[in-house]
Amino acid sequence: MSCRQWLSSAVRRLPSGAGQQQTRALSTSTPDAKGLQMLPRAGGGGGSGGGGTMIRRVVGIRGGNPNNNNNPTDALQSLLSLGDTRRSGRGPVTAEEQREIMEQQQQANNARLSVRDLRNSATTDNFLSYMPRRWKAGDVYSPRDLSPVEQKKWTKRQAPLKDIVDLLGFNPLDNYKNFSFISEFMTPFGRIKHSRETGLRPVNQRKVAKAIRRAIGMGLHPSVHKHPELMRLSNQGFPMYVPRTTSTAEKKL
Amino acid sequence: MATRSVSPGGALLRTSRMFALPSPIPKPPSDVTGKDFYSDTMTQAFPTHQVITTLSAPRKQGDWGLKRPLPLRSTTKSSKAMLRVNAIDSVEQITDYTSGTDHGMTLRKFQALGLPITLRQQSQVGQPFSATQLHIPTPSVFDDEFDFTAIDKKKQDESTDQRWKFSGPWLSGMPQGDFKKWLAKEVRPKRPAFRAFLRERIANEMNEAAKLAAVDKGEEPPAPVEASSITEDQVIAYLRKLRHNRPMLYDMVGKFLDLAPVKPSSAAEEGLAFLKTQGKVLEYRDVKSPWAESGPPVTHPSAGLSYLRTSMYMENHPIYGPQKHHPSVQARVIRPYRSQGNQAAKLGVAGFVVETPVGDSLLNSKTGGKWSYIDPTLVGGAKTWVQPQRATVSSHGKVLMSINDASTETTLVTQELLGEKECLGTPLVQPQLHQPREDAKELRKRYAAGPPAMSSAEDYGLDSKSL
């Protein structure tokens, strides 16, 4: 009897009614959230509070009389009589059952937390796709740098500001066997990139183009896909640039 | 010497902004060679143009001391009067200007931190400060040993380990292509000059040796050998000797071209003796220059940001007395942790992006996930209290700060001083906490009947706030 009193008092202490709980469950948009709203909520009265909602959930699912929900003692009674099919008798809730309820609630709580983490993570990812700048220590930021107009400029890959061939001081024609260098200056479909993408000055662009044509002509480099060695590297998880999709249709906010 | 009288027109020109504005300094060097993601309009690591300001009354008339008044619509809206003038007079006969608040406010915020600029610590890769050395004091950039602004030409060779300004490049930071170009354009034409330099060295060495030998024998030293009397064969023989002693050759070339000091290879640092047997001489060398590892700075190592020599002073609270720590400051979470790619969180302190406190990482988060997510419901974004520790200027002119976790007590005291929280001091007055800001419309309504009878410095535009 004392156990019953404890549970019922916990139910009474809960701020929200069972009817509210139901409407809330229906109004949530995400399907996973909907399922979880049916589960006991954390907080409130802690363990006892969770136990109370548990009872109401069972009542709600069974489609019992809504008036019953207002009376926690009746709700508890209905649980004890109908809820547990394993139980044949009508005695009070034993300590073992109580522990079971607590465990169940703990599991649900953990699931709820992990889903909350997932949801937060998805929200963060969505927001961060609008803030693509990778800040480095020592960068100066003003409010304008955090603005959408400024952040949008960091989404697009731009031609390098410096001529890489000049900077590294090598002759592209000597490097026709360097597949990593060759594939840097051509598309995966075998087209030579324009100088506005490569950022090379005309002399070096011509040299690079000739090196690519030579490599393909000698059969050293595939002309219709990426070099197999690079594909192997990317399959093994080596860092390779993969362009990010920034289509607004994909945002899940 | 009497001062020359200047004509009224000349005096006017001399005191005008047109002549007071310095010419812009070069842009900050880009640290990444093949960088694909950038913005040409982002705030640069350091300002290149002078920021000008004006008083509030002339500002309302567009008077910034320039050739022509500036448009009111774009210069009077900001609460801070700061402008950057790109061109006083362009071809289109307009004054080209932009807002200067980005760097202007950053400077003000940085100076409010009260941090001295220190020298960079050595032997850390990519990190401005290492975790183990965080509590070892670093010397200030204004220490007499390192603060070189005017260098005597004669003492140039002696001060190589302390100087930060060199006429030659820092070879460790030079890409191969640039190095080849520099060799062809700058170094090759200097071949005859280097031979003359060597002749002088040979003559010096011979004179010293002769002097020593004479002292040993107790004789008079012989007449010194002139540099011009050194034959070509002697120079070639000396060159051959130099070729097998790389460190000595580098010393000579470095002195001749005034190269910035380079950190010796680890083998040379360890002084491996066995390399001597292979016909090469590799001596132990200790480079004392703080710029050997990451290159000399582009500006004075303080970058003019702070002139403090130390942060070893105590804050005094009017009620609680001397404080252990300097006041905590609020940092903005610029970018949260991302487990994808193991990206660290980035914080912003006083307008500079800083790394998270030492020991804080994705797996070992001290804040319990506070920096892992963006909470869109937070007005103004996530912020956190931190304790700035030290600041240094990198060789690219970037300000690298290191921060620590703020102590709870210091944060509470700081917040109480700001009127945000209540500690042991005077209880907060509620209306003072939640005083709504008056907008322009309300102010106008209040002043519609004329200004209030009592006048203050602020009403006359003398207060610093109205500037």
Side-chain angles (χ1 to χ4, degrees), chain B residues 329-344:
Chain B
V329 291
Q330 260 190 327
R332 179 184 297 279
V333 182
I334 292 268
R335 193 180 169 87
Y337 284 118
R338 288 289 77 201
S339 53
Q340 180 192 11
N342 202 10
Q343 297 167 31

Side-chain angles (χ1 to χ4, degrees), chain A residues 37-125:
Chain A
Q37 285 287 354
M38 299 295 281
L39 295 173
R41 303 177 60 213
S48 59
T53 20
M54 186 68 170
I55 295 156
R56 277 185 286 130
R57 184 177 71 95
V58 174
V59 172
I61 287 167
R62 288 193 169 270
N65 190 358
N67 293 337
N68 267 358
N69 296 342
N70 296 333
N71 192 343
T73 322
D74 289 350
L76 186 65
Q77 286 285 1
S78 64
L79 168 79
L80 296 177
S81 56
L82 307 166
D84 203 343
T85 46
R86 285 169 298 171
R87 268 160 50 90
S88 50
R90 283 184 141 226
V93 184
T94 62
E96 198 182 320
E97 281 166 357
Q98 198 183 319
R99 209 187 62 232
E100 233 172 64
I101 291 174
M102 297 276 273
E103 266 174 19
Q104 221 174 336
Q105 175 231 339
Q106 188 65 36
Q107 279 172 10
N109 208 8
N110 286 346
R112 210 183 67 83
L113 281 177
S114 70
V115 165
R116 195 192 64 185
D117 277 2
L118 280 176
R119 197 185 291 145
N120 281 345
S121 196
T123 312
T124 308
D125 280 337

Side-chain angles (χ1 to χ4, degrees), chain A residues 117-118 120-121 123-125 127-128 131-142 144-146 150 153-162 164 166-170 241, chain B residues 30 32-33 35-45 102-103 106 175-178 180 332 334-336 338 343 346 348-349 351-353 355 372-374 376 398-400:
Chain A
D117 277 2
L118 280 176
N120 281 345
S121 196
T123 312
T124 308
D125 280 337
F127 272 100
L128 280 182
M131 296 185 265
R133 182 168 176 185
R134 295 285 167 84
W135 296 93
K136 285 184 199 127
D139 283 346
V140 181
Y141 69 92
S142 60
R144 188 173 52 84
D145 287 294
L146 305 174
E150 191 64 29
K153 295 186 178 176
W154 294 82
T155 53
K156 246 191 182 175
R157 196 164 241 261
Q158 296 182 48
L161 292 168
K162 283 178 181 168
I164 285 173
D166 269 355
L167 202 70
L168 299 176
F170 68 97
Y241 172 71
Chain B
S30 61
V32 188
T33 47
K35 110 178 135 170
D36 298 342
F37 294 96
Y38 56 84
S39 157
D40 44 354
T41 50
M42 68 172 189
T43 308
Q44 296 290 328
D102 44 4
H103 284 116
T106 304
Q176 184 67 16
D178 288 358
K180 280 184 180 169
R332 179 184 297 279
I334 292 268
R335 193 180 169 87
R338 288 289 77 201
Q343 297 167 31
K346 290 284 188 299
V349 178
F352 295 102
V353 177
E355 305 280 355
S372 308
Y373 303 118
I374 288 178
K398 282 186 168 183
V399 177
L400 304 172

Side-chain angles (χ1 to χ4, degrees), chain B residues 6-207:
Chain B
V6 187
S7 67
L12 192 69
L13 280 176
R14 277 192 183 188
T15 51
S16 73
R17 273 269 158 79
M18 281 173 79
F19 287 85
L21 276 179
S23 49
I25 59 171
K27 272 189 169 186
S30 61
D31 46 352
V32 188
T33 47
K35 110 178 135 170
D36 298 342
F37 294 96
Y38 56 84
S39 157
D40 44 354
T41 50
M42 68 172 189
T43 308
Q44 296 290 328
F46 57 78
T48 53
H49 290 69
Q50 170 93 48
V51 173
I52 61 167
T53 184
T54 188
L55 297 168
S56 61
R59 187 188 177 197
K60 280 173 200 147
Q61 296 167 340
D63 179 10
W64 289 73
L66 297 170
K67 189 177 173 183
R68 52 180 73 83
L70 298 184
L72 297 183
R73 193 193 280 177
S74 57
T75 56
T76 50
K77 268 183 190 163
S78 168
S79 59
K80 300 282 178 297
M82 289 177 187
L83 282 189
R84 188 184 298 139
V85 179
N86 295 328
I88 284 182
D89 208 3
S90 69
V91 186
E92 297 87 6
Q93 297 198 331
I94 52 158
T95 303
D96 185 9
Y97 66 91
T98 48
S99 167
T101 42
D102 44 4
H103 284 116
M105 288 310 293
T106 304
L107 179 67
R108 276 197 193 175
K109 285 188 280 182
F110 183 81
Q111 286 176 341
L113 297 181
L115 268 187
I117 307 273
T118 56
L119 285 177
R120 205 180 153 109
Q121 279 177 331
Q122 292 301 301
S123 64
Q124 295 141 46
V125 183
Q127 283 277 325
F129 301 102
S130 85
T132 50
Q133 293 178 322
L134 199 62
H135 298 290
I136 301 172
T138 38
S140 161
V141 288
F142 293 108
D143 274 9
D144 292 339
E145 203 185 331
F146 301 108
D147 190 20
F148 274 81
T149 42
I151 306 150
D152 207 351
K153 195 75 182 164
K154 288 169 193 164
K155 286 183 184 171
Q156 207 175 24
D157 290 348
E158 300 162 23
S159 59
T160 314
D161 277 348
Q162 289 94 40
R163 261 186 307 147
W164 54 268
K165 185 103 176 163
F166 299 90
S167 52
W170 181 61
L171 291 184
S172 294
M174 224 180 182
Q176 184 67 16
D178 288 358
F179 178 70
K180 280 184 180 169
K181 217 181 283 167
W182 174 72
L183 270 191
K185 287 208 170 160
E186 307 274 325
V187 182
R188 261 180 215 137
K190 286 180 183 168
R191 269 176 173 171
F194 185 61
R195 282 182 173 255
F197 173 81
L198 278 188
R199 278 206 172 91
E200 221 154 85
R201 295 286 302 218
I202 296 166
N204 269 352
E205 278 182 19
M206 282 168 75
N207 288 340

Side-chain angles (χ1 to χ4, degrees), chain B residues 266-410:
Chain B
S266 53
E269 268 191 322
E270 286 157 13
L272 295 177
F274 70 89
L275 286 169
K276 275 183 186 171
T277 57
Q278 297 171 2
K280 288 176 187 170
V281 181
L282 211 53
E283 297 157 348
Y284 172 75
R285 2 194 63 220
D286 181 26
V287 173
K288 290 183 203 97
S289 170
W291 317 113
E293 198 171 6
S294 50
V298 285
T299 59
H300 182 272
S302 78
L305 276 172
S306 167
Y307 295 98
L308 295 173
R309 304 250 335 210
T310 177
S311 59
M312 294 293 176
Y313 59 90
M314 265 186 172
E315 300 284 336
N316 192 32
H317 191 275
I319 295 164
Y320 311 135
Q323 301 289 304
K324 188 181 176 190
H325 302 291
H326 294 300
S328 312
V329 291
Q330 260 190 327
R332 179 184 297 279
V333 182
I334 292 268
R335 193 180 169 87
Y337 284 118
R338 288 289 77 201
S339 53
Q340 180 192 11
N342 202 10
Q343 297 167 31
K346 290 284 188 299
L347 305 181
V349 178
F352 295 102
V353 177
V354 295
E355 305 280 355
T356 47
V358 173
D360 196 283
S361 64
L362 182 64
L363 296 172
N364 179 26
S365 174
K366 289 177 176 177
T367 48
K370 196 180 166 191
W371 302 341
S372 308
Y373 303 118
I374 288 178
D375 186 1
T377 56
L378 270 180
V379 178
K383 284 179 189 168
T384 179
W385 288 92
V386 294
Q387 182 86 53
Q389 289 259 307
R390 50 178 66 157
T392 184
V393 178
S394 78
S395 52
H396 292 297
K398 282 186 168 183
V399 177
L400 304 172
M401 259 191 275
S402 79
I403 54 170
N404 217 338
D405 305 301
S407 89
T408 326
E409 293 84 6
T410 315

